[in-house]
Amino acid sequence: MQVTAQQIRTWLADVPDPEIPVISLVELGVIRDVRQVDAQWEVDVSPTYSGCPATSVIAQTIREALAEHGVSVAVNQTLSPPWTTDWISQSGREKLEAYGIAPPRAAGGPERCPRCHSADLERLSQFGSTPCKAQWRCRTCLEPFEYFKCL
Amino acid sequence: MVGGPIAGVDPVAILAGRMGDTALVLGHRISEWCGLAPALEEDIALANTALDLIGQAKLWLDLAGAREGLGRDADGLAYLRDAWDFRNLLLVERPNGDFGDTILRQALFDGWHVQLLAGLRDSRDEQVAAIAAKASKEAAYHWQRSRETVIALGDGTEESHARMQAALVRAWPFVGEMFESDETDAALSSAGIAPAPATLSTSVMGAFEEMLAEATLRAPEVSRWQTGGRSGRMHTEHLGHMLSTMQWLQRAYPGCDW
């Protein structure tokens, strides 16, 4: 079978993010380019946060996933333009909310509680369990939840 | 070799080395709080800030290593140099002290860092500009938190105010080093690679004054700034102790991996 860049993107759309496995690397917006240079396939990946430990795991996951399809790939890190939460796809945002993580918003805080959808919210902590999240709480259902910080 | 203007050395190697060393040393210092901070939220915040800074240090030190051309990468520069080869600001190598000392030092670093990175984003060197653009988004978030926390504690209880004022008296003499320039800085500035440190002074000091006024804190008069870290002239005794902890594993088992 002739492998195309589109085919590789389709395969990568099934590769989950190692820390938030409900969304794929493509939905997270970290796959910046797929191309063939001479006979070698290359994938450009944009790191989310500079020190995010998932970055090296993501590169490894991509190599392993494509190796299963018989494709050897070189993974490059690309810094510019810097990754932004604007690159998370609409389907990615919906999956995050369904999973209980409020998706990022330019206003700097979540729009609504991912469980009961109330807008009466308070911030508990500017940071959370991973560099990309903060802790919030719903004042209506009283449940704490994670918010994907806007970057 | 990273540090000091040396004929034939790319000044970007020195700039990236200074940026990387400052981020690395502060990142390590605040990681020392992990599991010990006064509240869970602060523990998570310090650990995450440390993670961002160590990630930025890796980007800067890989660039420094590539430009110095001696075959060293970020790990080689971080783990296999001695204290006298580090080029970080003295401010960040000082011990953590109490939580007030830590968060005040953080705010002084962050307030300077955001403005410097804003200048470096426009660098004519593409790699410097790319790292600065990446780091500046993280730095803005750090500054927001450290600034708010300094204000909350300074303008807080009698006890928290007294501790923050004492922390400020201890840390303030180290602020002047942020604006010190040497021949490398002049070369970087005239090449459009980095802003001259002195040109940041007005805006950074303005941001500090605004924060301190809101925090009801007063900076002490300083007759002579404590400097020497970024030039490599001298470090405090504390850096060597910190490095002995940070570098122990790589020194004991060179090239170890797991």
Side-chain angles (χ1 to χ4, degrees):
Chain A
M1 184 183 67
Q2 183 69 32
V3 176
T4 63
Q6 187 52 48
Q7 178 64 63
I8 287 179
R9 282 181 184 275
T10 307
W11 286 330
L12 291 176
D14 290 330
V15 180
D17 172 73
E19 279 189 350
I20 311 172
V22 287
I23 62 171
S24 76
L25 295 179
V26 171
E27 286 168 319
L28 186 62
V30 296
I31 307 293
R32 303 315 300 163
D33 194 27
V34 177
R35 63 179 178 276
Q36 199 171 20
V37 179
D38 298 325
Q40 175 70 54
W41 280 102
E42 294 186 2
V43 177
D44 284 352
V45 176
S46 181
T48 53
Y49 281 77
S50 298
C52 185
T55 306
S56 56
V57 182
I58 286 174
Q60 181 68 17
T61 310
I62 291 171
R63 282 192 292 267
E64 285 170 3
L66 295 178
E68 281 179 27
H69 295 284
V71 176
S72 156
V73 69
V75 179
N76 305 316
Q77 178 172 269
T78 172
L79 287 182
S80 182
W83 180 81
T84 159
T85 41
D86 294 349
W87 293 348
I88 300 177
S89 69
Q90 187 56 37
S91 66
R93 299 171 61 85
E94 286 162 12
K95 286 179 189 173
L96 282 175
E97 190 180 34
Y99 186 61
I101 301 172
R105 215 162 58 108
E111 183 187 2
R112 60 185 190 178
C113 167
R115 289 185 185 79
C116 76
H117 295 177
S118 161
D120 188 13
L121 312 169
E122 64 179 336
R123 190 182 73 191
L124 297 179
S125 170
Q126 261 168 298
F127 290 85
S129 59
T130 64
C132 57
K133 287 177 284 184
Q135 284 290 331
W136 283 66
R137 176 163 54 202
C138 174
R139 287 206 189 98
T140 304
C141 72
L142 304 180
E143 286 291 330
F145 64 90
E146 290 187 304
Y147 165 61
F148 203 115
K149 283 154 37 179
C150 189
L151 185 76
Chain B
M1 148 147 208
V2 174
I6 298 163
V9 172
D10 184 343
V12 172
I14 296 168
L15 169 72
R18 288 170 169 174
M19 295 301 292
D21 285 350
T22 297
L24 175 67
V25 171
L26 183 58
H28 186 85
R29 272 287 179 231
I30 56 177
S31 77
E32 293 170 359
W33 276 102
C34 191
L36 303 170
L40 184 58
E41 290 80 1
E42 296 309 327
D43 206 289
I44 295 168
L46 287 164
N48 272 290
T49 305
L51 196 60
D52 286 343
L53 290 173
I54 291 168
Q56 292 170 19
K58 182 175 186 327
L59 297 174
W60 286 121
L61 292 180
D62 273 333
L63 177 61
R67 297 297 178 88
E68 72 168 6
L70 299 178
R72 296 193 287 186
D73 64 2
D75 282 348
L77 289 169
Y79 294 116
L80 301 176
R81 281 180 304 154
D82 289 310
W84 51 79
D85 287 329
F86 273 72
R87 295 294 179 268
N88 56 281
L89 294 176
L90 294 179
L91 174 74
V92 301
E93 71 192 42
R94 300 177 68 247
N96 286 333
D98 65 14
F99 182 76
D101 286 301
T102 293
I103 202 68
L104 184 84
R105 177 186 62 194
Q106 191 66 35
L108 295 177
F109 167 80
D110 291 337
W112 163 80
H113 199 210
V114 289
Q115 306 246 15
L116 175 56
L117 291 173
L120 292 175
R121 272 196 315 237
D122 297 327
S123 176
R124 275 195 210 150
D125 186 289
E126 270 180 35
Q127 284 175 293
V128 169
I131 297 173
K134 179 89 202 142
S136 63
K137 299 209 280 181
E138 294 160 2
Y141 201 75
H142 301 163
W143 168 232
Q144 185 193 346
R145 168 180 166 274
S146 57
R147 183 183 176 280
E148 282 174 8
T149 312
V150 165
I151 292 169
L153 291 173
D155 188 20
T157 65
E158 209 173 301
E159 169 79 10
S160 74
H161 174 83
R163 284 192 182 220
M164 293 306 285
Q165 183 58 42
L168 179 61
V169 168
R170 285 190 284 268
W172 193 253
F174 294 89
V175 163
E177 188 176 18
M178 297 169 176
F179 313 115
E180 201 182 55
S181 296
D182 61 13
E183 288 165 34
T184 302
D185 294 303
L188 289 164
S189 157
S190 62
I193 294 169
T199 61
L200 300 171
S201 164
T202 309
S203 57
V204 174
M205 289 302 243
F208 289 163
E209 277 165 29
E210 209 177 292
M211 170 180 76
L212 295 177
E214 249 190 274
T216 69
L217 299 173
R218 283 185 57 182
E221 291 294 326
V222 174
S223 54
R224 189 158 164 271
W225 298 108
Q226 299 293 320
T227 66
R230 74 190 294 280
S231 71
R233 186 168 49 79
M234 58 171 280
H235 283 279
T236 67
E237 67 179 284
H238 308 295
L239 181 64
H241 292 278
M242 194 204 95
L243 293 182
S244 69
T245 302
M246 189 183 90
Q247 298 180 331
W248 177 83
L249 194 75
Q250 278 296 331
R251 298 284 190 145
Y253 302 96
C256 74
D257 204 356
W258 67 87

